[in-house]
C-alpha cells in the first residue's frame, strides 16, 4: 500500500513538472511582457504627441477637439484634394484655332480645300487647356457659412451646426498646400452681420490653433448672435469682395438653413442675388429646411444654383460633389 501510494505521488509530481504548469508560467510571463510592452508603447506615444503639441503651441484637449471634426471626414478630404489637384487653369491666351468648318480661310489649307477638304478655316478663340498647364493666378473662392442663431438652436435635433463645422474643417484641410492654385475666404452670415470674416483671402490658417479658432468662432457666434437673416446681403458682399482682385476664376458658395420666408425673403430675390455678377459662379446649399421651403426654392431657381443636404450627415459628400461640378465649369 505504501509503495503504491508513493508511486502515485511520484507520477503526480512528474505531471506537474512536465506540462501544464510550465506552459502556464510561460503564458503568464508572455502576457506580462506584452502588457508591459504595450504600456511602454502607450507612454512613448503620449510623450511623442505631447512634444508635437507643444511645438504647435496647443494642448491635448484642443487637439482632440479639432480632430473630432476632421476624423469622420478623412475620406472626403482625400477625395476633395484629388479634385482640387486635377482642376485646370481657365485663363488661356486667345489664339488661332485651326481645322474648323467655319471662320476665316486658313492660307495653309488652300491646297487641302482644292482637294475637297472642308475643315480649312480658322478662328480666334481660347484653345482647350493642356493637362497640367500653368495657372498664372489663383481661383478665388468664398465660402459663406450660416452662423445664425437657428443653427445653434436646432443643432441638438439634427446636428446641422456640427456638420457645417465639419464641412468647414474639410475645406481647411483639403485646400492646404494649394495656395498657388486657390485663394479662399471663410465668411459667416447671421442676424448681426452679412460679412463675419473668419479666414480672409491669402491668409489660410497654418496651425491647428488657427484652424480651431475658426471652428470655435463660428460655433460661438451662432450661440450668441441676434435673430434675423442676412443671406441676400452676404451673397452680394461676398460677390463684390471676391472681384476686388483679378483671378483665374471666381466661386461663391453660400450655406443656409432655409429660414428665408420667415424674414420676407422671396425665391426671386434669392435668385437675383445669385446672379449679381455673371463672371462669378455662385450657388447656395440648404442644410436644413422649415417645412418644404428648401425643396421649393431648388425647384424654382435654375439647375446648379441650389443644392440640398437636408440630412446633415450628407453635407460633406454633397459639398464635394458640387465643388467638383463647379471646378469642371470654371
Amino acid at each position: 500500500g505504501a509503495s503504491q501510494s508513493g508511486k502515485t505521488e511520484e507520477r503526480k509530481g512528474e505531471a506537474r513538472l512536465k506540462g501544464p504548469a510550465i506552459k502556464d508560467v510561460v503564458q503568464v510571463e508572455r502576457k506580462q511582457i506584452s502588457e508591459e510592452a504595450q504600456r511602454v508603447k502607450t507612454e512613448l506615444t503620449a510623450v511623442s504627441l505631447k512634444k508635437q503639441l507643444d511645438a504647435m503651441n496647443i494642448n491635448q484637449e484642443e487637439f482632440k477637439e479639432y480632430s473630432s471634426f476632421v476624423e469622420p471626414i478623412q475620406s472626403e478630404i482625400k477625395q476633395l484634394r484629388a479634385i482640387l489637384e486635377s482642376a485646370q487653369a481657365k485663363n488661356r491666351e486667345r489664339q488661332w484655332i485651326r481645322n474648323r468648318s467655319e471662320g476665316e480661310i486658313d492660307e495653309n489649307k488652300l491646297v487641302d480645300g482644292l482637294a475637297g477638304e472642308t475643315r480649312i478655316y480658322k478662328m480666334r478663340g481660347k484653345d482647350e487647356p493642356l493637362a497640367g498647364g500653368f495657372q498664372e493666378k489663383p481661383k478665388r473662392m468664398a465660402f459663406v457659412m450660416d452662423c445664425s442663431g437657428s443653427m445653434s438652436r436646432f443643432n441638438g435635433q439634427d446636428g446641422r451646426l456640427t456638420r457645417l463645422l465639419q464641412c468647414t474643417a474639410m475645406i481647411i484641410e483639403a485646400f492646404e498646400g494649394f495656395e498657388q492654385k486657390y485663394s479662399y475666404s471663410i465668411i459667416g452670415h447671421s442676424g448681426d452681420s452679412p460679412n463675419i470674416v473668419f479666414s480672409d483671402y491669402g491668409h489660410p490658417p497654418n496651425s491647428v490653433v488657427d484652424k480651431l479658432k475658426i471652428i470655435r468662432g463660428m460655433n460661438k457666434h451662432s450661440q450668441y448672435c441676434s435673430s434675423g437673416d442676412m443671406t441676400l446681403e452676404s451673397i452680394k458682399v461676398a460677390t463684390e469682395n471676391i472681384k476686388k482682385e483679378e483671378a483665374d476664376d471666381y466661386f461663391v458658395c453660400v450655406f443656409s438653413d432655409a429660414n428665408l420666408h420667415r424674414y420676407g425673403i422671396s425665391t426671386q430675390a434669392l435668385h437675383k442675388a445669385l446672379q449679381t455678377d455673371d463672371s462669378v459662379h455662385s450657388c447656395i446649399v440648404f442644410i436644413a429646411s422649415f417645412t418644404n421651403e428648401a425643396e421649393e426654392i431648388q425647384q424654382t431657381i435654375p439647375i446648379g444654383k441650389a443644392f440640398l443636404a437636408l440630412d446633415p450627415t450628407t453635407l460633406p459628400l454633397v459639398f464635394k460633389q458640387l465643388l467638383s461640378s463647379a471646378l469642371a465649369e470654371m
Side-chain angles (χ1 to χ4, degrees):
S3 175
Q4 185 66 29
S5 176
K7 289 179 180 180
T8 301
E9 290 300 322
E10 185 177 345
R11 284 196 296 270
K12 288 181 180 180
E14 289 175 354
R16 282 195 296 270
L17 287 173
K18 283 180 180 178
I22 295 176
K23 184 178 180 181
D24 290 345
V25 169
V26 171
Q27 288 178 339
V28 169
E29 288 180 347
R30 283 178 178 172
K31 183 179 180 181
Q32 289 175 343
I33 292 172
S34 177
E35 289 176 350
E36 177 66 15
Q38 184 61 43
R39 185 186 65 78
V40 172
K41 181 181 178 181
T42 302
E43 289 179 356
L44 289 174
T45 300
V47 171
S48 176
L49 177 60
K50 187 176 185 306
K51 287 181 178 179
Q52 294 180 49
L53 296 179
D54 287 343
M56 293 186 294
N57 195 28
I58 184 173
N59 60 45
Q60 195 159 357
E61 287 71 27
E62 291 171 325
F63 179 77
K64 287 181 179 179
E65 182 181 349
Y66 183 70
S67 297
S68 68
F69 294 103
V70 175
E71 288 177 358
I73 52 171
Q74 285 288 356
S75 176
E76 286 80 4
I77 291 172
K78 290 178 182 178
Q79 293 171 27
L80 185 54
R81 286 185 64 82
I83 292 169
L84 295 173
E85 177 68 38
S86 63
Q88 297 174 331
K90 176 183 179 182
N91 286 340
R92 303 179 293 279
E93 291 297 324
R94 289 179 62 84
Q95 54 188 297
W96 286 112
I97 301 176
R98 304 179 188 278
N99 299 315
R100 311 291 293 189
S101 57
E102 59 183 5
E104 299 180 31
I105 294 179
D106 187 346
E107 59 276 8
N108 296 321
K109 291 281 188 176
L110 293 176
V111 175
D112 295 335
L114 293 173
E117 174 64 51
T118 59
R119 299 175 67 85
I120 62 171
Y121 299 92
K122 63 181 180 179
M123 60 192 304
R124 296 290 286 180
K126 294 183 178 181
D127 203 357
E128 290 302 310
L130 295 173
F134 178 71
Q135 181 177 310
E136 293 184 1
K137 296 180 176 64
K139 299 179 187 294
R140 278 167 72 87
M141 298 185 165
F143 302 105
V144 189
M145 306 302 193
D146 191 342
C147 296
S148 61
S150 56
M151 290 292 293
S152 178
R153 190 177 309 118
F154 295 103
N155 189 52
Q157 294 182 16
D158 56 22
R160 63 182 69 177
L161 180 58
T162 299
R163 293 299 178 180
L164 184 64
L165 297 179
Q166 280 186 343
C167 189
T168 303
M170 180 172 71
I171 292 169
I172 293 171
E173 294 300 317
F175 279 84
E176 192 168 54
F178 291 116
E179 289 77 12
Q180 290 294 109
K181 295 183 69 174
Y182 306 96
S183 178
Y184 71 90
S185 67
I186 297 175
I187 307 160
H189 67 92
S190 71
D192 285 345
S193 172
N195 187 41
I196 309 151
V197 180
F198 294 106
S199 181
D200 209 353
Y201 297 106
H203 301 283
N206 295 316
S207 67
V208 175
V209 173
D210 292 336
K211 296 172 183 178
L212 185 58
K213 189 180 294 183
I214 294 172
I215 301 297
R216 284 178 171 177
M218 291 173 59
N219 187 26
K220 287 295 182 184
H221 187 90
S222 180
Q223 291 178 27
Y224 298 107
C225 68
S226 305
S227 60
D229 192 291
M230 294 192 180
T231 304
L232 298 187
E233 293 86 348
S234 70
I235 297 172
K236 294 173 183 176
V237 171
T239 304
E240 291 172 1
N241 288 340
I242 204 170
K243 290 296 294 290
K244 287 183 177 180
E245 289 187 20
E246 191 175 352
D248 185 71
D249 215 332
Y250 307 93
F251 176 65
V252 172
C253 183
V254 184
F255 295 81
S256 169
D257 64 1
N259 195 14
L260 306 179
H261 291 169
R262 177 186 175 188
Y263 295 99
I265 301 173
S266 67
T267 302
Q268 293 75 17
L270 175 62
H271 182 204
K272 184 178 179 180
L274 290 171
Q275 292 183 312
T276 300
D277 189 325
D278 291 339
S279 66
V280 177
H281 301 266
S282 60
C283 67
I284 188 166
V285 182
F286 293 116
I287 55 181
S289 179
F290 293 86
T291 63
N292 296 320
E293 185 173 344
E295 292 94 332
E296 293 172 358
I297 294 174
Q298 187 191 40
Q299 293 171 4
T300 304
I301 65 178
I303 295 174
K305 286 293 185 181
F307 298 85
L308 302 181
L310 302 183
D311 177 358
T313 61
T314 65
L315 178 56
L317 178 61
V318 170
F319 174 73
K320 178 178 68 70
Q321 292 173 340
L322 78 86
L323 188 57
S324 176
S325 299
L327 288 172
E329 297 176 3
M330 292 172 70

